[in-house]
Amino acid sequence: MRDLLERLPLDPVNLEATASAIATAVDQLTKDGNVAKLEGHLTDRLQAMFGPRLAVQPTLGFASSKPDELIRAVRLFFDEARRRSISDTSLGSANFIYLGLLLEALSQQRLDEEFIATLVAVQEPEAHLHVTLQRHLFRYLLRTGPSLILTTHSPHIAAVAPVRSFIVLRATESGTTGATTAALPVSNEEAADLERYLDVSRAEVLFASAVVLVEGLAELYILPALAEAAGFDLDAYGTVVASVHGTDFKPYRALLGPKGLNTPHVVITDGDAARDKRGRREAGLKRGANLHPEGARRTALLDQIAALPETQEASYQTTRAPLAAELQNIGVYVGAQTLETDLCSMFGEEIIQAFRELNGNAGAIGDVSRRVANELNVIIDPDVRKKMLKRIGDLGKGRFAQRLAAHIARVDLDARIRSEAQIADDVPLDEQALRRLGTASYLFLAMERISRAARGTPLLTGHAAPHGSGAGQRCRLVTPSSRSSTACTPGSGPPFSTTATSFCGPVPEAGRRAPPSPGSPTCSRHRSRPSAAWPASPTPTRRPRRSAAASSAAACVPKGGSPAPPCTHSA
């Protein structure tokens, strides 16, 4: 403020008159006996303190009577009556005002050509500011003033920043690392779409340690519930589930990819394997293939997808599984059909209960119960499936997912998975175990990858073994105390991934089921998982539920994923 005032070319005659008027006002004030008494007390005390050698005559006044110093006494008020000063404002408003004064001073210095260029650095301007003021302030800073560096933790500010202006700093064991979006490999139109996409809620992806990209609202509720049931606190580890509100993941992958923010992330998308009204099928695999970073492999994958047998054919599952597994190696997890039907194999009872709570009609509840059962059949009736999805759609997929998420979050997930995959209590729930969860497996595999990226541990850590690193250690599991260890290298994919021909599991103990040999099926506790996209047998029969006591006699049936060779065991 002082710098701005001292730059003003003030009229000296007006200053003299102002100083005289102030002196008159001060004289008027000191006519009050109490003021004169205070001056006398101060004079006596200071003379006693300093002695006769240092003359001190304290006098009260508003400002110096010297005209050239008068300007320094000017104060900034925030109302016309000059009653509210900076000390009367909030801390946020005071910071706001200081920034305004600083920018005005810089503007005057530029006009006076005191420097060639200006770079303004602002640290966390969001402190103590209302969220709408944060956005308004940053928009102002962007369109006016000098070059700007601004540090922030506010998604409100990030939401209005140009998408190619971000630099994200991360603390690592080797020091601070940075990633920038300056060279983001997207078109100008896609960049503009990203800027519109990054509203307040989605701008959290800029600050995330890991991101799960999903299609819509239902996944936004279901995936955090799955993580909660697994004991994975997403907020604690900076993990964000973000919906792209559609199926075009390409620009968002670019934003989070190695030429952007370089943030660990996965894509979860519906399989849409069955033919739609226009005769199109395998839309999910095609979406995933189009996200492959290598053009030649992208084309080859699309050709292989086009050549897949129909979903009702016996060879469909084993032909499709390697393609889905390859996409998982690039972080794209494709379901069988759609989220609600894919969840029936693991959470059928929860789906029925959630629907019952939202729709009390007995007929509608019965319909949904029968249609959940349809998803457990070896061969799926597509018409029955459509009716189930219509019932849920009538409620609203997002509303239904809200209620279903509450039930899923309370599930004992460790026990549920062990029951579904027929795994003993003291055996780690590794990636291979998650692959045995049928149509729901892709959700668990995606969250497994994100868990390892965000917190360095498997999704289900109750009996988890440490994660290794380096050659031959991408997947490492150690069996319980003093038993043999198992190690494998899951193909040539990135860390935390396993190819369709890899298996990593514990060395079997005496009397325990051994890992499957090449070409052999894995085992199911009580029912097959296939949908129209997961046929295991041409016979349209349903397997009855079995009790836990009968689980030891469960028959082996083909499950999701292709047969895989075991790891090499070493004592």
Side-chain angles (χ1 to χ4, degrees):
M1 185 68 184
R2 179 176 176 179
D3 180 74
L4 289 170
L5 291 170
E6 290 180 346
R7 289 176 180 275
L8 297 176
L10 299 177
D11 181 0
V13 175
N14 186 48
L15 279 177
E16 289 283 354
T18 303
S20 176
I22 288 176
T24 301
V26 169
D27 290 341
Q28 180 65 35
L29 177 65
T30 55
K31 289 180 180 179
D32 187 299
N34 291 318
V35 173
K37 185 177 180 181
L38 176 60
E39 284 186 342
H41 288 167
L42 289 173
T43 299
D44 293 342
R45 183 175 297 279
L46 292 175
Q47 286 180 348
M49 291 173 64
F50 288 113
R53 297 185 60 188
L54 184 60
V56 176
Q57 186 63 46
T59 305
L60 300 179
F62 303 127
S64 171
S65 60
K66 296 174 63 176
D68 58 341
E69 294 182 0
L70 184 62
I71 197 68
R72 300 177 185 175
V74 174
R75 298 172 60 192
L76 186 63
F77 292 88
F78 300 102
D79 61 341
E80 292 183 359
R82 297 187 181 91
R83 294 176 179 174
R84 294 186 62 221
S85 65
I86 289 182
S87 61
D88 298 317
T89 66
S90 67
L91 182 57
S93 297
N95 291 339
F96 207 90
I97 292 161
Y98 170 77
L99 183 58
L101 293 173
L102 174 64
L103 293 175
E104 181 62 25
L106 291 174
S107 176
Q108 293 297 326
Q109 291 170 16
R110 281 196 302 275
L111 291 175
D112 294 341
E113 298 182 346
E114 294 184 9
F115 43 71
I116 298 175
T118 306
L119 176 64
V120 175
V122 184
Q123 181 179 5
E124 299 182 7
E126 68 268 19
H128 313 291
L129 280 185
H130 189 277
V131 293
T132 56
L133 275 179
Q134 293 179 34
R135 294 194 293 271
H136 185 80
L137 168 63
F138 191 58
R139 284 194 181 102
Y140 174 83
L141 294 175
L142 284 174
R143 67 175 181 265
T144 61
S147 300
L148 175 70
I149 294 178
L150 183 145
T151 65
T152 183
H153 291 100
S154 171
H156 301 277
I157 289 178
V160 296
V163 74
R164 287 192 170 97
S165 69
F166 296 118
I167 298 175
V168 175
L169 302 179
R170 296 185 177 96
T172 67
E173 292 181 358
S174 57
T176 301
T177 62
T180 178
T181 58
L184 201 63
V186 296
S187 66
N188 290 335
E189 291 77 12
E190 288 174 327
D193 289 341
L194 281 172
E195 289 174 2
R196 284 186 284 271
Y197 169 80
L198 290 173
D199 61 13
V200 172
S201 61
R202 301 185 195 111
E204 289 185 2
V205 302
L206 302 172
F207 306 92
S209 60
V211 176
V212 182
L213 293 172
V214 299
E215 290 185 13
L217 188 60
E219 292 90 345
L220 284 181
Y221 295 121
I222 298 299
L223 289 172
L226 280 177
E228 182 179 349
F232 179 10
D233 188 334
L234 298 182
D235 286 338
Y237 290 95
T239 302
V240 173
V241 179
S243 169
V244 305
H245 296 291
T247 57
D248 182 11
F249 292 96
K250 179 177 175 290
Y252 313 103
R253 288 267 286 184
L255 175 66
L256 299 172
K259 294 184 179 180
L261 299 177
N262 199 26
T263 302
H265 65 283
V266 297
V267 170
I268 295 178
T269 185
D270 289 344
D272 299 323
R275 291 189 181 275
D276 61 15
K277 294 179 180 179
R278 300 173 62 180
R280 298 172 300 185
R281 64 185 184 118
E282 301 296 352
L285 286 180
K286 292 174 182 176
R287 281 193 292 273
N290 282 316
L291 294 174
H292 201 288
E294 300 175 8
R297 187 57 192 149
R298 186 185 314 136
T299 302
L301 279 171
L302 290 171
D303 291 341
Q304 290 177 271
I305 294 167
L308 281 174
E310 293 294 330
T311 56
Q312 68 272 18
E313 295 183 23
S315 62
Y316 172 72
Q317 180 182 342
T318 55
T319 309
R320 183 185 190 271
L323 301 179
E326 181 172 349
L327 294 179
Q328 290 172 8
N329 284 341
I330 63 168
V332 180
Y333 292 78
V334 182
Q337 187 59 33
T338 190
L339 178 68
E340 292 79 11
T341 59
D342 291 348
L343 289 172
C344 285
S345 63
M346 281 287 291
F347 302 106
E349 294 175 2
E350 285 75 18
I351 288 173
I352 295 169
Q353 181 61 28
F355 187 85
R356 181 182 292 115
E357 292 171 3
L358 296 175
N359 187 331
N361 182 279
I365 296 169
D367 285 346
V368 170
S369 298
R370 287 188 293 273
R371 287 154 192 168
V372 168
N374 175 62
E375 295 298 324
L376 306 183
N377 290 340
V378 175
I379 296 298
I380 306 301
D381 185 332
D383 292 330
V384 174
R385 169 181 280 172
K386 289 177 183 177
K387 291 177 182 178
M388 172 188 173
L389 294 176
K390 184 179 185 305
R391 285 287 191 185
I392 292 174
D394 290 343
L395 287 175
K397 291 185 69 172
R399 180 69 185 96
F400 176 74
Q402 281 181 315
R403 184 57 58 88
L404 177 58
H407 289 279
I408 290 176
R410 295 193 292 266
V411 168
D412 183 345
L413 201 55
D414 186 285
R416 180 72 58 90
I417 291 174
R418 292 181 186 281
S419 171
E420 295 297 315
Q422 198 180 31
I423 297 173
D425 290 344
D426 59 347
V427 177
L429 293 178
D430 62 352
E431 188 171 305
Q432 183 65 16
L434 300 181
R435 288 185 182 279
R436 293 163 62 179
L437 298 179
T439 55
S441 63
Y442 71 106
L443 298 171
F444 291 94
L445 291 168
M447 296 306 291
E448 167 82 1
R449 181 172 181 146
I450 284 296
S451 175
R452 289 190 178 275
R455 56 180 184 166
T457 64
L459 175 63
L460 293 133
T461 58
H463 299 283
H467 173 70
S469 60
Q473 297 293 323
R474 283 182 178 173
C475 178
R476 178 147 181 100
L477 300 175
V478 180
T479 54
S481 60
S482 73
R483 299 196 179 108
S484 301
S485 66
T486 302
C488 70
T489 303
S492 58
F496 318 136
S497 65
T498 305
T499 65
T501 58
S502 299
F503 173 84
C504 191
V507 177
E509 300 174 42
R512 181 163 297 161
R513 187 186 306 274
S517 59
S520 66
T522 54
C523 295
S524 171
R525 173 176 175 262
H526 53 66
R527 63 177 181 263
S528 60
R529 297 291 186 284
S531 66
W534 300 83
S537 166
T539 306
T541 58
R542 182 184 177 196
R543 296 184 181 274
R545 288 181 177 270
R546 300 174 61 106
S547 66
S551 64
S552 61
C556 288
V557 295
K559 304 290 290 181
S562 61
C567 296
T568 300
H569 303 311
S570 60

